[in-house]
Amino acid sequence: MIIGMRGHDFGRMEPDRLAEAIASHGYRATQLAFGKAFVQSPETYMTEEGLASVREAFAARGIAVPVMGCYVSASDRDPAKLEAAKAKFAAHLRASVKLGAGCVGTETTHFTFDESERESAYARLVDFTRAAVAVAEACGATVGIEPVAYHTLATPELTRRLLDDMPSEHLRVILDTANLVPPGESRPEAQHDLLERALSLFGDKICVLHVKDGVWNSENKWENRPLGEGIMDWPTLLPRLRANNDRLCALREDVWPGRADEECAILRRWAQL
């Protein structure tokens, strides 16, 4: 298992400086969202020459890029916005091949509607995923979809359904167990159950892990915390995930300010590396 972190948690930097910062704290992989991690506009780096330069900057410091982040609303109700999301994601898929990224990752849109609208939202997600997978298959890229309890793709079971509806080796899952925990649920047993359901349904389709910690506040909204100071039972979850696939990368999300070294060491200890 490789321990990494989300690039833009250190703020915006030029690629070589960001790669050096990540490596200096002991991490060996990163998730890059160009629009959040780099100083200049994403278009500056999305040329063939720019992508090669970014790739070289991270490779020179031994930093893998398992995820190229592309934040889109993958089941948007507005047809124009959904088409724009498809186009943006397609451009990132093509760029990810030149970057050498393992996948292009996205979540699937906040679901703030009545449950009776779940099916129509899911249908829009299928439409988006079909278009994305077609591009990925054509250019040799990989689509990484991340389920979240309060998004369109809300459960392990619905995630399995999407994989069945879109059978392709170019469609994978980004798993963040914390994101699957329903708002207000704090019991470790619930986390264990969610993970076992996910592993049984799509354990062989997981391409990367996200790791965060936090608590539910009085309004049942998630608040990030340093690793070990929230509700997540990562000392149990990470070894289980490593046993399922030791080649996965565990990416720390929301590295706590001033604790990058400490949190890298914690992740290595929890993963029993």
Side-chain angles (χ1 to χ4, degrees):
M1 179 173 279
I2 301 170
I3 302 301
M5 62 166 289
R6 193 171 61 180
H8 59 270
D9 286 350
F10 281 161
R12 295 178 185 272
M13 300 183 188
E14 290 294 348
D16 57 345
R17 285 193 58 222
L18 179 58
E20 180 61 36
I22 291 169
S24 71
H25 291 287
Y27 298 93
R28 292 295 172 260
T30 191
Q31 173 171 322
L32 288 179
F34 284 17
K36 296 189 175 190
F38 297 151
V39 175
Q40 301 180 62
S41 68
E43 292 73 23
T44 303
Y45 308 95
M46 292 278 278
T47 65
E48 189 161 344
E49 181 179 292
L51 290 163
S53 178
V54 173
R55 180 174 184 165
E56 181 180 342
F58 285 84
R61 292 159 180 82
I63 303 297
V65 184
V67 185
M68 185 182 192
C70 182
Y71 296 85
V72 297
S73 183
S75 56
D76 203 286
R77 295 171 108 185
D78 184 326
K81 290 181 179 179
L82 189 57
E83 289 304 310
K86 291 179 188 177
K88 180 179 179 180
F89 203 82
H92 278 68
L93 285 167
R94 297 184 185 99
S96 73
V97 178
K98 297 181 176 67
L99 181 64
C103 74
V104 178
T106 187
E107 296 173 344
T108 64
T109 310
H110 283 262
F111 188 82
T112 56
F113 319 111
D114 186 83
E115 191 61 29
S116 63
E117 296 192 43
R118 177 79 60 182
E119 281 299 313
S120 58
Y122 177 77
R124 294 191 296 272
L125 176 60
V126 168
D127 178 51
F128 170 89
T129 307
R130 181 181 293 110
V133 166
V135 174
E137 290 177 340
C139 69
T142 298
V143 178
I145 293 288
E146 183 176 352
V148 181
Y150 46 88
H151 286 192
T152 298
L153 201 67
T155 64
E157 290 74 20
L158 201 54
T159 304
R160 180 68 254 178
R161 180 180 168 189
L162 181 66
L163 292 168
D164 289 340
D165 287 341
M166 289 287 111
S168 173
E169 286 303 306
H170 294 263
L171 177 61
R172 299 283 171 170
V173 178
I174 298 172
L175 181 64
D176 184 337
T177 309
N179 274 352
L180 282 172
V181 176
E185 176 60 79
S186 299
R187 296 173 299 128
E189 295 80 8
Q191 301 168 32
H192 303 163
D193 174 68
L194 277 166
L195 179 57
E196 292 305 322
R197 284 158 54 198
L199 292 179
S200 67
L201 289 165
F202 52 82
D204 61 335
K205 289 287 190 177
I206 299 169
C207 62
V208 71
L209 309 173
H210 283 169
V211 180
K212 67 165 68 75
D213 209 349
V215 297
W216 300 110
N217 65 19
S218 59
E219 298 177 346
N220 275 346
K221 293 183 178 178
W222 182 263
E223 293 183 355
N224 290 313
R225 292 288 187 273
L227 290 177
E229 297 184 19
I231 66 168
M232 295 304 298
D233 186 19
W234 288 116
T236 299
L237 301 175
L238 269 183
R240 178 69 181 96
L241 284 159
R242 185 183 174 197
N244 180 70
N245 184 353
D246 192 33
R247 295 170 297 172
L248 288 175
C249 177
L251 294 170
R252 168 65 168 131
E253 278 201 337
D254 296 302
V255 169
W256 204 255
R259 296 195 183 187
D261 290 356
E262 176 188 349
E263 295 201 327
C264 185
I266 288 171
L267 284 171
R268 293 185 61 83
R269 185 172 71 250
W270 286 349
Q272 301 174 7
L273 295 173

